[in-house]
Amino acid sequence: MAILTVGSSSQYKTISAAVLSSQSGDTINVTTGTYTNDFLTINHSLNLVAVGGVVKLVATAQPTNGKGYIDEGGAGVSVGITGFDISGVTVDDQNGAAIRYEGGTLTLSNVTIHNNQEGLLANPDANGVITISGSNFTANGAGDGYSHNIYVGNIASLTVQNSTITAAQVGHDIKSRAASTTITGNVITDGSNGTASYEIDLPNGGVADIENNYIQKGVNAQNPIAISFGEEGNLHANSSLKVAGNVLVNTSPSSNSTSLKNASGIVADMTNNSLFGWSAVSIGQVNISGTKTLTAEPTQPVAPIVAPPTPPPPTSTLPDTLVLTVSEDAWQGDAQFKVSVDGVDLGQTFTATASHAAGATQQIAISGNWGANAHSISATFINDAYGGNSAADRNLYLHSVNYDGHDSPNSSATYLGNETKTFNLASPISSDTLILTVAEDAWQGDAQFKVSVDGVDVGQTFTATASHAAGATQQITIAGNWGANAHTVSASFVNDAYGGSSATDRNLYVAGVNYNGHNVPNSSATFLSNETNTFSLAAPAPTFIRLHLAEDAYLGDAQYSVAIDGKQAAPNGTVTALNNAGNTFDLSIATAVASGWHDLALSFLNDAYGGSAATDRNLYSKGIDVNGTPVSGGAFTLLSEGAHHVAFFVP
């Protein structure tokens, strides 16, 4: 679960290159800017995050995949997109989408999608889930009546919340064939330029909840009806419709304008809505109560933009995650254990609290800088206790070990006494990035050089092409598995040439070395002959921070990010420990911070709410400790997306 960076001075220059290099579960942080015709095909789980401002994806040519600017997803795939602006997508069949969904779980936060033939076009997936929050869909549609701002096929669930959906071109603002559709807290309008048909079209019914929206039918609307339910038949089982607490405004000149058409044959509920300008409230079987008729057109609100904060590019890189799944037999106290990687103790004592007899487990997640090469991982049970029978016996059970998304084979173990068990894991992915900024004096050919890390040649010969005399530089990026502990990095000039004057001299210049986001001090050098220069990078002393997390799960598990002093401190993750069962997910972070006060921000990334306590996804911090000492204010609850900040002190 690595973090990749994109930008003019980052690890990758294009988003598509980063996507091709990414592994399932990675996060790609994209620096603000405009990326033209950088089309993406994503078929594994991935998070795309805009950093430093909006990332604009502009299509001036047809997408190479023939579908959309971003063609993403598939059964079981989870993709998150935050902070992107996508426009200009066209294809010959009039279905050029900003985002073409192919299945799985898609979460859109703080995105703007405008002036495309289709905004979001989603293929069917019976288990698919799409959540849109804090976003803006404007002026999408090819004008043919078959393309829309949002068009979702037969999936399990669509949620649109706290967003602005406006000015669809002839098609609908929202069309959903989902088994469950929740539309809450949005502004959905034609405005003065929109020519939409329906504002909301649910042609196959489903369980639909339309609450607390501002919905406006405009003067250029193609259809006099705002909300349509079940007009194509083939209804989902257990279909129902609730329309409550909305402001429904009609400014079209139609003499038969209607706020709701229910063609399903099922009795719908309209409760406590405020209406202006409609010829009729509804068509079909509808229970209506609490309707308020407005005598003046209300002012259109601005939909709240509620989106998770976007983390900056990591300057303190903790790319590795070790997850141990454990349980215990508790007797006169819980089972405790220590963990080491490659023989080095991580410096913490971990506690198992999940009952093995009850079939419960818990996950202990530890972030650090070890590199994704081969490792030995050891767990040591340290407080065995036995009272003479099976009911008076403290034991530890290790169910599995996972390192950077890779399960360690044969990593289950039962500890009946104080003992150590070691597991080996070889991981094929590259987690570390070494960047050398170089230039050259070229004469009868370019300067070439070799690079080694800790005395081991990386196996390539590199060529400098940027002119030192012109003040140009270039970046040579090398991926590997070295870990962010102490290292030596060496560069060797291998093809010096000299013709007797400064104009006939081939030289190499290293302007700087960067390792996993850390600039190596004193790493500039001038190579006037075939020679080697070596630079040292010292590993910072870690501070151990542990968060005890839990969740209320609804339509998926709670996702989180953690930042320390404004910098991402661990890969974004998912909590699976249920709060109502008393379970916790322990996230441990080993990081280097100076002595003094620091800020920790825990962000909830994917809130969901279905209208009741039983249909509410929440995130809980049950406590935070630093080097084993509890932090004041470390227990809190996140009921909606956003960050909660906690101050902690390091002596």
Side-chain angles (χ1 to χ4, degrees):
M1 294 181 287
I3 298 174
L4 288 68
T5 60
V6 177
S8 59
S9 59
S10 298
Q11 181 181 10
Y12 296 93
K13 302 301 182 289
T14 65
I15 309 170
S16 53
V19 170
L20 286 172
S21 299
S22 65
Q23 305 287 329
S24 181
D26 287 353
T27 294
I28 299 177
N29 287 342
V30 184
T31 303
T32 182
T34 299
Y35 298 77
T36 302
N37 300 331
D38 189 9
F39 301 117
L40 310 177
T41 298
I42 302 171
N43 51 28
H44 56 264
S45 295
L46 199 63
N47 287 311
L48 298 179
V49 180
V51 172
V54 175
V55 169
K56 293 185 177 182
L57 306 183
V58 178
T60 61
Q62 293 196 4
T64 51
N65 55 40
K67 296 181 179 181
Y69 205 108
I70 301 176
D71 182 38
E72 68 79 37
V77 171
S78 178
V79 174
I81 302 173
T82 300
F84 282 64
D85 179 305
I86 311 173
S87 64
V89 181
T90 64
V91 298
D92 290 339
D93 67 3
Q94 305 294 298
N95 275 327
I99 300 175
R100 175 70 75 91
Y101 164 93
E102 305 286 3
T105 298
L106 173 64
T107 302
L108 303 180
S109 301
N110 198 14
V111 302
T112 297
I113 292 178
H114 61 100
N115 300 104
N116 306 280
Q117 288 176 331
E118 295 268 13
L120 168 65
L121 177 58
N123 288 344
D125 177 1
N127 298 312
V129 175
I130 298 175
T131 301
I132 301 168
S133 64
S135 296
N136 188 319
F137 287 70
T138 301
N140 298 288
D144 58 0
Y146 300 102
S147 49
H148 316 281
N149 268 328
I150 297 172
Y151 184 14
V152 172
N154 187 356
I155 66 172
S157 171
L158 169 67
T159 299
V160 184
Q161 58 191 7
N162 301 321
S163 296
T164 297
I165 319 294
T166 185
Q169 301 301 295
V170 182
H172 309 310
D173 280 313
I174 301 174
K175 182 169 184 174
S176 172
R177 299 183 187 274
S180 173
T181 300
T182 301
I183 302 173
T184 57
N186 305 285
V187 171
I188 306 171
T189 72
D190 290 332
S192 59
N193 300 318
T195 55
S197 180
Y198 301 131
E199 270 55 62
I200 300 173
D201 181 24
L202 309 177
N204 306 123
V207 177
D209 187 1
I210 303 171
E211 292 194 63
N212 302 320
N213 304 283
Y214 179 94
I215 302 173
Q216 178 251 358
K217 175 68 65 178
V219 296
N220 298 311
Q222 298 288 304
N223 191 302
I225 296 168
I227 302 171
S228 178
F229 186 79
E231 83 278 5
E232 294 184 18
N234 192 25
L235 297 181
H236 290 288
N238 302 315
S239 289
S240 64
L241 174 61
K242 178 181 180 182
V243 181
N246 303 283
V247 177
L248 295 133
V249 176
N250 175 57
T251 60
S252 75
S254 174
S255 61
N256 60 345
S257 61
T258 306
S259 64
L260 169 64
K261 178 183 178 181
N262 176 20
S264 69
I266 295 165
V267 179
D269 287 316
M270 287 189 74
T271 306
N272 298 329
N273 297 285
S274 298
L275 277 68
F276 172 80
W278 299 97
S279 303
V281 175
S282 65
I283 297 173
Q285 299 185 60
V286 183
N287 285 332
I288 302 174
S289 63
T291 299
K292 180 179 180 181
T293 300
L294 304 176
T295 58
E297 182 180 349
T299 301
Q300 177 178 314
V302 176
I305 302 301
V306 182
T310 58
T315 57
S316 176
T317 306
L318 289 171
D320 303 313
T321 301
L322 175 65
V323 179
L324 291 85
T325 301
V326 300
S327 63
E328 67 154 352
D329 296 328
W331 179 65
Q332 294 185 347
D334 293 311
Q336 294 183 328
F337 60 100
K338 305 277 285 183
V339 176
S340 65
V341 177
D342 298 331
V344 179
D345 192 319
L346 299 184
Q348 293 176 263
T349 298
F350 301 94
T351 301
T353 58
S355 169
H356 183 262
T361 61
Q362 73 187 95
Q363 289 186 322
I364 306 254
I366 310 164
S367 290
N369 291 312
W370 304 293
N373 49 320
H375 290 289
S376 64
I377 297 165
S378 301
T380 303
F381 186 23
I382 61 172
N383 70 330
D384 180 46
Y386 182 60
N389 58 61
S390 60
D393 193 7
R394 183 188 304 149
N395 300 309
L396 174 68
Y397 302 87
L398 178 61
H399 298 272
S400 65
V401 176
N402 182 289
Y403 185 78
D404 283 350
H406 296 267
D407 288 325
S408 175
N410 305 313
S411 58
S412 62
T414 299
Y415 296 77
L416 302 178
N418 290 338
E419 56 184 322
T420 298
K421 295 183 184 291
T422 300
F423 314 95
N424 294 315
L425 173 64
S427 176
I429 65 173
S430 297
S431 66
D432 303 313
T433 302
L434 174 66
I435 300 174
L436 289 84
T437 302
V438 301
E440 67 155 350
D441 296 327
W443 179 64
Q444 294 184 348
D446 293 311
Q448 295 183 327
F449 61 99
K450 304 278 285 182
V451 176
S452 65
V453 178
D454 299 332
V456 179
D457 193 321
V458 300
Q460 292 175 262
T461 298
F462 301 94
T463 301
T465 58
S467 170
H468 182 259
T473 60
Q474 73 187 95
Q475 289 187 325
I476 303 290
T477 301
I478 307 166
N481 293 314
W482 306 293
N485 48 318
H487 291 289
T488 59
V489 178
S490 299
S492 301
F493 187 20
V494 298
N495 70 331
D496 180 44
Y498 182 60
S501 69
S502 60
T504 58
D505 192 7
R506 183 189 303 150
N507 300 309
L508 173 69
Y509 303 86
V510 174
V513 177
N514 182 287
Y515 185 77
N516 283 347
H518 296 270
N519 289 323
V520 179
N522 305 314
S523 58
S524 61
T526 299
F527 298 74
L528 301 179
S529 60
N530 290 339
E531 57 183 317
T532 298
N533 280 280
T534 300
F535 315 100
S536 297
L537 174 62
T543 293
F544 293 101
I545 301 170
R546 184 162 54 178
L547 295 86
H548 310 282
L549 306 177
E551 66 152 353
D552 296 328
Y554 167 63
L555 294 177
D557 295 309
Q559 296 176 350
Y560 66 87
S561 67
V562 179
I564 296 174
D565 297 333
K567 299 179 178 64
Q568 185 161 347
N572 292 355
T574 301
V575 178
T576 58
L578 295 177
N579 182 62
N580 60 12
N583 297 328
T584 59
F585 172 94
D586 289 347
L587 171 66
S588 293
I589 301 170
T591 186
V593 294
S595 61
W597 285 100
H598 297 274
D599 173 77
L600 183 148
L602 174 66
S603 295
F604 187 16
L605 302 181
N606 66 332
D607 181 41
Y609 182 61
S612 68
T615 58
D616 192 7
R617 184 189 303 148
N618 300 309
L619 176 64
Y620 299 85
S621 172
K622 310 301 287 186
I624 300 172
D625 55 73
V626 175
N627 291 332
T629 301
V631 173
S632 176
F636 52 86
T637 301
L638 288 165
L639 300 177
S640 60
E641 291 171 355
H644 185 98
H645 294 264
V646 176
F648 67 92
F649 185 79
V650 175

